[in-house]
Amino acid sequence: MVRMHHTLPMVVATVQLLPALWITVSCARILGITTLPFFSHQIVYQPIWKELSLRGHQVTLVTTHPMKDNGLTNITEIDIGEIILSVLGEASLSQDTAKDGSHYSILRKLFENHYIIADAVFSDRRFIEVYNSSYVRFDVVVAESNISPIMYAVAAKFKVPLVGVYSFGVWMGLNHAIGNPHPLSLYPEIWSGSDGRMKFFERIRNTLYYIWTRYYLNFEALPKCDQIARKYLGNDIPYIQDIEKNMSLLLLTTNPILYEPRPNVPTVISMEQMHIKPVKPLPKDLKQFLDNAKEGVVYFSLGSNVKSINIPEKLRKVLIEAFAELPYKVLWKFEADDLPGKPENVLIGKWIPQQDVLAHPNVKVFVTQCGLQSVEEAVARGVPMVGMPFIADQTRNIQRLSEEGAAVGLEHTTLTKEEFKNAIFEVVNNPKYKQNVKRLGEIWVDHPLPSLNRTIWWIEYVIRHKGTKHLRSPTADVSWFEYLLIDVILVLLTIVSLALFILYVAIKFILRMIFGGRKLKQN
C-alpha cells in the first residue's frame, strides 16, 4: 500500500504530461509558398494557414496576401505581393488566360510569367534567409501548384515531403506528372472552355494539344524550370520533373458540379468552399441600400482578376444603359471613385463584402464573370447567376451552370442592351434558377467531413508518415509508351503479322505444289 501511495503521484504526473508531450511531438514546422497575386485565389489558402497555426504548428508563409492576424503568434509571413506586381503586373497574369487565346499560347505565356515570378521570389532577401539558412528546418513544404513546378524544388532542398495546393482544378501536365488518370477522350484542358462531352474535332484538338504539351514540357519548360531552381538552390537537388512526380499530396478546389467526375489517385484531395464564412453584418450604408430595395437588387462584380474598371468602353456603355432601364437597384463593384454616366439606381463601391451581400434576401441575381470562388459564394448563398466569362475556367463554369439551370450565360464581346436585360429578367422572374442553385448548394456541402478538417487531416497525415510513398500511383513512373501499351501492341502486331506471313507463304507453297504438279502432268 505504501508503494502504491508513492507511485500514485508519479502516475498522475505522467498522465498530466502526456498531452503536453503529444502537442510537442505533433507540432510541425511548415513552409507555405503561394505566388499568385490574386486575392480570390489566396483567400482559399488562408483558412489552411490559420488552422495549422491554431493547431500549434509553426508556419512560415511566403505569400502575396498576408493575413496580418495578430492573434496568430506562430506564423511568420513574408509579403511578396508588391514584388510580383512590380515585375509582372496583375493585368498581365489575367490577360494570359483570356478565353480567346489558343491553348498553346496560354500555356507558354503562363510558364514565361512564372519564370519571372520565381526569379523575383528567390531573389527576395527575406526568402533567401529561409532557404539558405543552415539552421532552419521544416517538416513539410506546401506550395501553390499553378503550372510551374519551380517552387517545388524548395521541398527537395530541405529534403521534406511536398504538398501541392491550388484554388482551381488541375492542369493536364500535373495530372500526368503525379500519375493521375487523364483520358484525352474525356478530360480537356481546364482553360479550354470544353467539358467532358467533347465532339470529335474537340477530341482531335485535345489530343494534338497533349502531344505538343509533352514536347514543350520535356524540351523547353521543364529544363528552364530546373535551371532557375538550381540557380538559387544549388545542384544538390533532383531534376525538377522528378521532384514534381514525388509530390506527396495535391489539394484542389474542385467540386461535383463544375468538374466532371473522375478517378483520382488517393493523394488528390478536394477542398471545395474553403473560403465560405458565416454571414456577418453589413456596413450601415450598404445595409440601408439593400434593405430599401423592395423591388430587388442586381449585384454586379467581375471579381478581383478581371475588374470592371478594365472592361472595354463599349461593354461598359451597354451595361450602364441596361441598368438604367431596370426596375431594380444595382450594386456594382467598380474600382474607381466615379463612374461616368452612372444611373440613379446604381450604387458603386471599390470593395464590397461579397459573401455578406449575396446573403441579403433582396439580392435577386448575381451578374458575375463566373470565377470559381465567386460561383462557390453564389451557390453557398443560394443566388442564381448571369454569367459573363472572360478568362481561364470561366467559360466552362457558366456552361455547366447553364446546363444545371442555375444561370444564364452571355458573350460579353457581342452583348447588346436587350440581351443583357432579358437575361436578368429571365433569372429574376423564373423560379427554376433559384431552385436549382439551392439544389446545387445542398449537393455541394453534403460531405462526411468539412473541407477544412479534411484538408488539415491530410496535411498532418503527410507530416506523420513523412510523405505518402505508400499511396504513390505507379503510373507516375511509367512512360507514355508503356502506359498506352504501345510496346505490347507492337509485339502483338508483329506476332500476328508474322503468323499471317507464315500462313501466306505456306498456302502459296501448298497451292504451287498442287497446281504446279497438275500442270506438269498435263504437259
Side-chain angles (χ1 to χ4, degrees):
M1 292 293 294
V2 175
R3 289 182 61 186
M4 288 184 63
H5 281 294
H6 279 288
T7 307
L8 186 59
M10 295 177 61
V11 173
V12 173
T14 303
V15 171
Q16 291 175 338
L17 185 60
L18 281 175
L21 287 172
W22 184 87
I23 293 172
T24 303
V25 171
S26 65
C27 285
R29 295 154 297 185
I30 299 170
L31 174 61
I33 308 173
T34 59
T35 59
L36 275 185
F38 301 136
F39 180 69
S40 60
H41 286 259
Q42 300 303 321
I43 58 173
V44 175
Y45 312 138
Q46 288 179 354
I48 300 176
W49 315 131
K50 182 175 182 179
E51 184 64 21
L52 287 171
S53 171
L54 292 174
R55 291 174 71 89
H57 300 296
Q58 298 293 324
V59 181
T60 300
L61 184 58
V62 181
T63 178
T64 56
H65 289 79
M67 293 179 288
K68 299 179 180 178
D69 187 342
N70 295 327
L72 303 175
T73 57
N74 51 343
I75 282 188
T76 301
E77 295 182 307
I78 299 175
D79 185 356
I80 57 169
E82 291 186 6
I83 295 173
I84 291 178
L85 291 179
S86 67
V87 298
L88 203 56
E90 187 174 355
S92 173
L93 285 169
S94 297
Q95 293 164 3
D96 288 341
T97 54
K99 63 178 183 175
D100 55 351
S102 72
H103 303 355
Y104 307 92
S105 63
I106 287 175
L107 186 62
R108 190 179 292 275
K109 286 178 182 177
L110 285 172
F111 265 101
E112 289 171 355
N113 280 339
H114 280 85
Y115 303 151
I116 299 172
I117 289 174
D119 271 318
V121 175
F122 275 127
S123 299
D124 184 85
R125 174 186 53 79
R126 298 161 299 172
F127 191 35
I128 292 174
E129 292 176 358
V130 172
Y131 67 76
N132 265 350
S133 173
S134 59
Y135 60 86
V136 173
R137 296 287 183 271
F138 293 102
D139 298 296
V140 68
V141 170
V142 183
E144 192 169 32
S145 297
N146 179 38
I147 306 298
S148 164
I150 299 175
M151 289 299 164
Y152 301 163
V154 179
K157 167 80 173 180
F158 287 110
K159 295 181 172 57
V160 297
L162 169 67
V163 172
V165 60
Y166 196 32
S167 53
F168 212 57
V170 63
W171 85 285
M172 189 182 290
L174 184 52
N175 267 323
H176 175 81
I178 65 175
N180 207 35
H182 191 89
L184 299 177
S185 58
L186 295 176
Y187 303 114
E189 189 60 278
I190 51 177
W191 50 72
S192 69
S194 301
D195 59 15
R197 289 152 289 187
M198 291 182 287
K199 296 182 175 63
F200 177 70
F201 287 106
E202 288 179 310
R203 295 199 302 273
I204 290 179
R205 183 179 65 177
N206 200 43
T207 303
L208 293 175
Y209 172 72
Y210 174 79
I211 295 171
W212 176 84
T213 297
R214 302 314 312 151
Y215 165 81
Y216 176 68
L217 282 175
N218 289 325
F219 296 101
E220 294 186 44
L222 290 177
K224 179 67 174 179
C225 292
D226 187 72
Q227 177 187 352
I228 295 173
R230 292 177 185 277
K231 174 183 175 182
Y232 295 99
L233 303 178
N235 291 319
D236 190 25
I237 56 174
Y239 185 60
I240 196 73
Q241 189 176 35
D242 295 327
I243 298 172
E244 186 176 32
K245 284 184 175 183
N246 284 290
M247 182 181 290
S248 293
L249 186 68
L250 179 59
L251 301 164
L252 297 173
T253 307
T254 55
N255 57 76
I257 307 302
L258 302 181
Y259 290 85
E260 300 84 8
R262 63 182 305 152
N264 288 319
V265 295
T267 52
V268 175
I269 306 299
S270 175
M271 54 172 196
E272 69 279 356
Q273 292 195 325
M274 287 282 288
H275 71 295
I276 303 299
K277 300 177 181 178
V279 180
K280 299 188 296 293
L282 291 165
K284 186 176 180 180
D285 56 340
L286 189 54
K287 183 179 185 303
Q288 185 176 3
F289 177 81
L290 297 176
D291 287 344
N292 293 336
K294 303 303 181 185
E295 67 284 357
V297 176
V298 175
Y299 173 52
F300 178 66
S301 171
L302 297 180
S304 60
N305 298 343
V306 177
K307 296 185 177 179
S308 297
I309 196 172
N310 295 327
I311 62 177
E313 188 64 34
K314 178 183 176 182
L315 176 58
R316 187 187 301 178
K317 183 179 178 182
V318 168
L319 298 175
I320 290 174
E321 291 178 355
F323 285 148
E325 297 179 11
L326 290 177
Y328 316 113
K329 288 190 175 181
V330 178
L331 178 60
W332 186 343
K333 180 179 176 290
F334 190 77
E335 301 80 12
D337 294 321
D338 183 52
L339 172 62
K342 182 179 76 66
E344 292 184 1
N345 63 330
V346 173
L347 175 67
I348 63 172
K350 289 183 179 180
W351 179 87
I352 292 173
Q354 184 161 289
Q355 295 190 37
D356 304 321
V357 165
L358 290 172
H360 197 283
N362 287 344
V363 175
K364 303 300 182 183
V365 60
F366 179 20
V367 183
T368 170
Q369 88 287 9
C370 273
L372 181 54
Q373 280 70 49
S374 290
V375 170
E376 286 189 334
E377 292 171 8
V379 172
R381 302 309 190 217
V383 180
M385 288 156 276
V386 170
M388 195 182 299
F390 283 79
I391 62 173
D393 64 333
Q394 295 169 6
T395 298
R396 59 174 288 153
N397 290 347
I398 185 57
Q399 183 179 356
R400 297 301 290 267
L401 289 168
S402 299
E403 292 170 356
E404 294 286 348
V408 169
L410 298 173
E411 174 52 56
H412 69 86
T413 57
T414 58
L415 186 65
T416 65
K417 179 180 69 174
E418 292 304 317
E419 285 177 335
F420 188 48
K421 287 169 56 180
N422 290 339
I424 290 176
F425 286 136
E426 168 67 13
V427 174
V428 172
N429 296 322
N430 191 334
K432 79 167 188 177
Y433 295 97
K434 182 79 171 179
Q435 293 167 1
N436 284 324
V437 167
K438 288 185 175 181
R439 173 178 59 83
L440 296 182
E442 292 171 356
I443 296 173
W444 220 319
V445 299
D446 195 359
H447 293 284
L449 196 65
S451 286
L452 181 58
N453 296 31
R454 184 169 64 247
T455 299
I456 298 301
W457 186 90
W458 273 104
I459 293 175
E460 293 182 333
Y461 180 90
V462 171
I463 295 170
R464 287 196 299 271
H465 300 288
K466 296 180 171 50
T468 57
K469 289 183 179 180
H470 53 291
L471 297 178
R472 191 169 186 267
S473 170
T475 313
D477 300 316
V478 175
S479 68
W480 67 271
F481 202 82
E482 297 169 297
Y483 179 72
L484 297 176
L485 294 177
I486 302 297
D487 51 349
V488 174
I489 293 171
L490 288 176
V491 169
L492 292 177
L493 286 176
T494 302
I495 292 172
V496 171
S497 300
L498 185 61
L500 290 174
F501 176 73
I502 292 172
L503 181 63
Y504 166 76
V505 171
I507 293 174
K508 186 176 181 181
F509 176 77
I510 293 170
L511 291 175
R512 184 180 296 172
M513 290 294 292
I514 295 173
F515 293 106
R518 289 181 180 178
K519 196 171 184 179
L520 186 61
K521 287 182 180 180
Q522 290 174 357
N523 291 335

